Amino acid sequence: MNFDRKNLTDNQLLDLYKRLVKPRLIEEKMLILIRQGKVSKWFSGIGQEAISVGVTAVLDADEYILPMHRNLGVFTGRNIPLYRLFSQWQGKANGFTKGRDRSFHFGTQQYKIIGMISHLGPQLGVADGIALANKLKKNGKITAVFTGEGATSEGDFHEALNIAAVWELPVLFIIENNGYGLSTPTNEQFRCENIADKGIGYGMESHIIDGNNILEVYNKLSELKVSMTANPRPVLLEFKTFRMRGHEEASGTKYIPQELMDLWAIKDPVDNYRKYLFENKILTAGFDETLRSEIKAEIDESLALANTEPEIEAVLSEELNDVYKPYQFEEVNPSDEVENIRFIDAISSSLRQSMERHKNLVIMGQDIAEYGGAFKITDGFVAQFGKERVRNTPICESAVVSAGMGLSINGYKAIVEMQFADFVSTGFNPIVNLLAKSHYRWQEKADVVVRMPCGGGTQAGPFHSQTNEAWFTKTPGLKVVYPAFPYDAKGLLATSINDPNPVLFFEHKQLYRSVHQDVPKDYYTIPLGKAALLKEGKDVTIISFGAAVHWAFDTLAKNPEISADLLDLRTLQPLDTEAIYASVKKTGRVIIYHEDSMFGGIASDISALIMEECFEYLDAPVKRVASLDTPIPFTKALEDQYLPKGRFEIVLRELLIY
């Protein structure tokens, strides 16, 4: 291994050695602890230390790094107290996740480290969002994100690279090519000769670096940092290295040929650099012995401190309260000056006024800039707010949602517009596994609103007509809003944007241009989790939301003899159970009416809640009316049959005479 010190001083060379030795000695201790059963799981980075150590040594302390399992050198390089790392690995309270996640699945704003989730790929999009925030701030900072060669096959990898290239984001994509994805060798993962070639395909600068040579890593990254600060752009770096231990310790390495293990053992990054320093009389035996003794003592002291820490005790209220970031609703009352506008105009007005109110708010989506979006909701926004804040995206929902998380991490608010709610399926993973769980896992907000144009009645077929709120109402950590009227849409969207928690905001397309209402011209807010009692009666409670509220009104208008409470939920998560129970206890009969298909729809959960909490008040079974349990069809006759409008009145009358 050839080391080129370039212009580095002896002190700099020794500092890199200290940084290399520390994670190695911790790893060696961890291997002992896991054999003793004192740690449940360990992902070893032995043999790969030079990469994480070099990256961390080059970046400023306030520049974000997004590491993975084998990047212990990032955490030690940022000087996180070892006892906190040991507490994290043991699931103790002094860790970073309150025992809710293990290993390196955590982030910390204090040390500007953002850990990954097990799905790996979304963190690349998060890095895009962090880098976008840096670019908007014009602070000259870069972001480094790690992944392995295995994750380069994931769609998120390609989406994130494409976004970074198109938006010229200052991201270092660090690919640790260590030969195996668990047990699958690289020749069974991809056919290109080098992963670096994938960067070229996106018009991105890329380099291949010896990941076991600390000086090659450090010098190349130092050069790139200067260059990227002056000329912000993404760079893909493929580090050739090898994983000397198993994927995790329990998996072992029997599937790896011994000759390959022997070959890479000779290339050990710590041993080779140590030998180089000795040969050039930069490192002495005394210094080396003292350094190792000091690190081992720190490890033992920190481990002892973590061991004395008590096991976490389960506190129910704390678990429930940490699912969402606490948010104090800011009530802004509407003005007296109103205008009669459509549902779509109310959404546009709310977005515009929120953009004016929050200078750190960014909207992202397909065709939302000059074109104004598929429904023209953001028409004219570019002229007022500029393309930096109103951003057309490539067709890559997953990375865009992840970028929204990155913006939130780095001090911005994000709105992601799905062109149609159906398309959220390609961004499902980061919503339910990243946005929804971040605050619960490591107390990090996800200040992202995902707008969801949804619903049938327009003969748009199976892929442009779904109302898929039930995909999200069951996911703890998400809020789900679904207004039926322009007034509510404007105020609830403003509140959703203010709320630091992730919100899925459903907008029924059929209501966009068919429903008008007097709406205050000025900015105002409406609290989430409060249903609206639109009509009062004594015989039956109708619970609904979205377009079905209007269908219920139509039915009641045709049957004036029916005395009904009509409850518009407006927000599905959090759910206004107090309003539901109060109405049901008054009328004794209840019918839940929604557009989603029946099985697994939110009506099922509401029905169960009513049966559990209001059973003694019921005079009849709880009824549900919903669409057919089929995909939504295209032809009008089939769509009319699919939707529940033709069945509601029949079921309602049957309930009243039960």
Side-chain angles (χ1 to χ4, degrees):
M1 190 175 294
N2 296 316
F3 291 99
D4 182 359
R5 68 182 293 170
K6 293 188 182 296
N7 60 348
L8 296 177
T9 66
D10 286 358
N11 284 338
Q12 287 176 303
L13 294 175
L14 287 173
D15 179 67
L16 289 174
Y17 180 66
K18 294 176 187 176
R19 290 171 176 265
L20 271 178
V21 171
K22 191 169 188 176
R24 173 62 63 89
L25 293 180
I26 294 171
E27 288 247 31
E28 291 174 353
K29 185 69 171 182
M30 295 305 296
L31 296 181
I32 295 171
L33 295 176
I34 199 165
R35 286 195 294 271
Q36 295 174 343
K38 295 179 179 179
V39 176
S40 63
K41 205 174 188 69
W42 185 252
F43 298 87
S44 176
I46 288 178
Q48 301 181 203
E49 295 95 339
I51 305 169
S52 54
V53 164
V55 170
T56 310
V58 168
L59 264 61
D60 299 335
D62 62 349
E63 290 181 309
Y64 283 94
I65 302 178
L66 293 83
M68 293 182 67
H69 291 107
R70 295 176 224 293
N71 301 129
L72 177 58
V74 171
F75 299 86
T76 57
R78 284 281 165 94
N79 297 315
I80 293 180
L82 293 191
Y83 80 89
R84 293 204 66 190
L85 290 177
F86 288 132
S87 291
Q88 171 65 25
W89 302 333
Q90 292 181 7
K92 303 284 186 68
N94 273 325
F96 293 87
T97 64
K98 300 185 180 181
R100 294 166 183 160
D101 214 334
R102 63 185 181 183
S103 182
F104 294 97
H105 289 283
F106 71 91
T108 161
Q109 285 283 12
Q110 181 180 357
Y111 298 99
K112 294 294 183 284
I113 295 174
I114 309 300
M116 82 295 188
I117 62 173
S118 291
H119 300 68
L120 305 181
Q123 73 173 8
L124 298 159
V126 174
D128 281 350
I130 292 172
L132 174 57
N134 285 333
K135 187 172 182 178
L136 294 173
K137 294 175 184 178
K138 298 180 173 61
N139 60 15
K141 299 297 180 181
I142 66 174
T143 303
V145 58
F146 286 74
T147 198
E149 87 290 328
T152 65
S153 297
E154 290 189 342
D156 289 88
F157 170 82
H158 299 277
E159 291 188 13
L161 260 63
N162 192 44
I163 288 176
V166 171
W167 289 355
E168 297 180 325
L169 300 176
V171 181
L172 277 170
F173 291 99
I174 309 294
I175 315 301
E176 295 180 303
N177 184 353
N178 62 18
Y180 286 85
L182 208 157
S183 68
T184 306
T186 54
N187 63 358
E188 295 180 23
Q189 296 186 54
F190 53 83
R191 278 290 178 260
C192 56
E193 183 177 354
N194 299 299
I195 293 172
D197 298 337
K198 297 186 179 185
I200 297 170
Y202 290 104
M204 185 183 300
E205 178 183 342
S206 61
H207 304 275
I208 299 173
I209 298 172
D210 181 353
N212 286 30
N213 186 324
I214 183 61
L215 294 189
E216 184 175 335
V217 173
Y218 182 82
N219 287 325
K220 186 61 181 179
L221 285 165
S222 297
E223 172 191 317
L224 283 170
K225 177 168 168 51
V226 173
S227 174
M228 291 172 67
T229 300
N231 176 26
R233 67 192 188 281
V235 177
L236 174 65
L237 300 177
E238 179 184 0
F239 290 91
K240 302 286 190 180
T241 186
F242 195 73
R243 196 186 69 209
M244 297 301 294
R245 309 291 302 184
H247 169 70
E248 44 89 20
E249 282 305 301
S251 67
T253 58
K254 289 183 178 179
Y255 50 85
I256 302 175
Q258 187 57 47
E259 57 269 25
L260 195 57
M261 295 290 289
D262 295 341
L263 174 66
W264 280 94
I266 298 171
K267 300 180 180 182
D268 184 281
V270 180
D271 292 346
N272 277 281
Y273 188 53
R274 180 172 181 263
K275 180 181 177 182
Y276 164 77
L277 294 177
F278 271 127
E279 289 175 348
N280 288 272
K281 302 188 185 325
I282 299 166
L283 177 66
T284 65
F287 183 95
D288 191 30
E289 184 178 344
T290 300
L291 172 65
R292 289 170 180 266
S293 295
E294 290 175 349
I295 294 173
K296 288 179 180 179
E298 182 186 0
I299 292 171
D300 290 341
E301 291 169 7
S302 299
L303 187 57
L305 187 60
N307 287 339
T308 60
E309 188 178 348
E311 298 293 330
I312 284 181
E313 294 185 6
V315 179
L316 181 60
S317 60
E318 186 173 334
E319 289 298 287
L320 296 174
N321 291 338
D322 273 357
V323 173
Y324 297 98
K325 180 177 176 61
Y327 168 60
Q328 187 65 44
F329 169 66
E330 179 188 354
E331 184 174 9
V332 180
N333 292 316
S335 64
D336 294 331
E337 187 178 4
V338 299
E339 55 184 343
N340 191 264
I341 59 175
R342 303 168 299 177
F343 192 104
I344 195 169
D345 303 321
I347 296 290
S348 183
S349 175
S350 186
L351 287 174
R352 189 182 299 275
Q353 290 173 0
S354 291
M355 289 285 281
E356 293 168 347
R357 186 180 183 88
H358 301 289
K359 303 304 181 185
N360 65 337
L361 177 59
V362 176
I363 304 179
M364 301 181 289
Q366 295 159 27
D367 305 300
I368 67 165
E370 290 86 353
Y371 187 72
F375 300 98
K376 301 301 180 183
I377 287 175
T378 53
D379 192 22
F381 277 40
V382 168
Q384 183 174 354
F385 304 110
K387 290 200 69 170
E388 291 291 281
R389 295 180 62 200
V390 184
R391 305 187 73 90
N392 281 336
T393 70
I395 301 177
C396 48
E397 285 83 1
S398 186
V400 174
V401 171
S402 298
M405 181 71 203
L407 282 167
S408 174
I409 285 170
N410 204 4
Y412 279 75
K413 287 178 172 287
I415 296 174
V416 177
E417 177 185 301
M418 294 292 153
Q419 199 164 71
F420 293 89
D422 314 65
F423 299 165
V424 78
S425 57
T426 60
F428 188 77
N429 176 36
I431 291 175
V432 301
N433 285 314
L434 188 63
L435 301 188
K437 296 176 173 63
S438 288
H439 189 265
Y440 174 76
R441 289 171 53 242
W442 59 283
Q443 293 77 62
E444 178 61 29
K445 69 184 186 305
D447 203 343
V448 182
V449 174
V450 183
R451 290 186 42 245
M452 303 275 283
C454 66
T458 59
Q459 289 81 62
F463 307 116
H464 295 77
S465 308
Q466 295 175 88
T467 175
N468 44 7
E469 67 279 355
W471 294 2
F472 306 102
T473 51
K474 76 165 304 296
T475 302
L478 299 176
K479 297 187 178 183
V480 181
V481 181
Y482 203 145
F485 295 93
Y487 180 92
D488 292 338
K490 181 173 179 177
L492 289 169
L493 181 54
T495 302
S496 299
I497 293 168
N498 292 340
D499 195 316
N501 295 285
V503 179
L504 279 295
F505 195 91
F506 284 83
E507 306 162 12
H508 201 290
K509 305 188 306 294
Q510 197 177 46
L511 302 182
Y512 271 160
R513 292 175 170 83
S514 65
V515 178
H516 294 69
Q517 194 177 27
D518 286 341
V519 177
K521 286 187 175 182
D522 293 339
Y523 179 92
Y524 63 94
T525 58
I526 296 173
L528 304 188
K530 297 293 184 182
L533 186 59
L534 304 179
K535 185 176 175 60
E536 291 195 60
K538 59 182 176 60
D539 297 333
V540 64
T541 296
I542 301 170
I543 299 171
S544 191
F545 56 91
V549 171
H550 298 275
W551 304 340
F553 262 126
D554 292 342
T555 299
L556 292 175
K558 290 191 299 181
N559 298 274
E561 74 283 3
I562 297 177
S563 177
D565 268 8
L566 177 55
L567 193 65
D568 177 7
L569 294 176
R570 302 196 297 186
T571 303
L572 308 182
Q573 185 61 264
L575 185 66
D576 190 352
T577 54
E578 183 179 342
I580 292 171
Y581 299 157
S583 179
V584 172
K585 289 175 181 179
K586 180 181 74 171
T587 67
R589 287 178 169 82
V590 59
I591 185 168
I592 308 161
Y593 188 19
H594 67 52
E595 182 178 341
D596 193 11
S597 53
M598 176 78 81
F599 192 86
I602 194 173
S604 300
D605 282 284
I606 296 172
S607 174
L609 286 169
I610 292 169
M611 291 296 289
E612 291 169 357
E613 301 296 331
C614 305
F615 181 76
E616 64 269 32
Y617 295 92
L618 292 173
D619 297 322
V622 177
K623 288 293 185 180
R624 296 171 295 152
V625 179
S627 294
L628 299 180
D629 286 320
T630 71
I632 181 168
F634 155 61
T635 302
K636 187 177 188 309
L638 295 178
E639 186 183 51
D640 287 347
Q641 176 182 253
Y642 166 86
L643 293 170
K645 288 191 285 186
R647 296 182 290 276
F648 176 69
E649 183 176 344
I650 297 170
V651 178
L652 176 61
R653 287 190 171 280
E654 290 174 350
L655 177 63
L656 288 169
I657 62 173
Y658 180 86

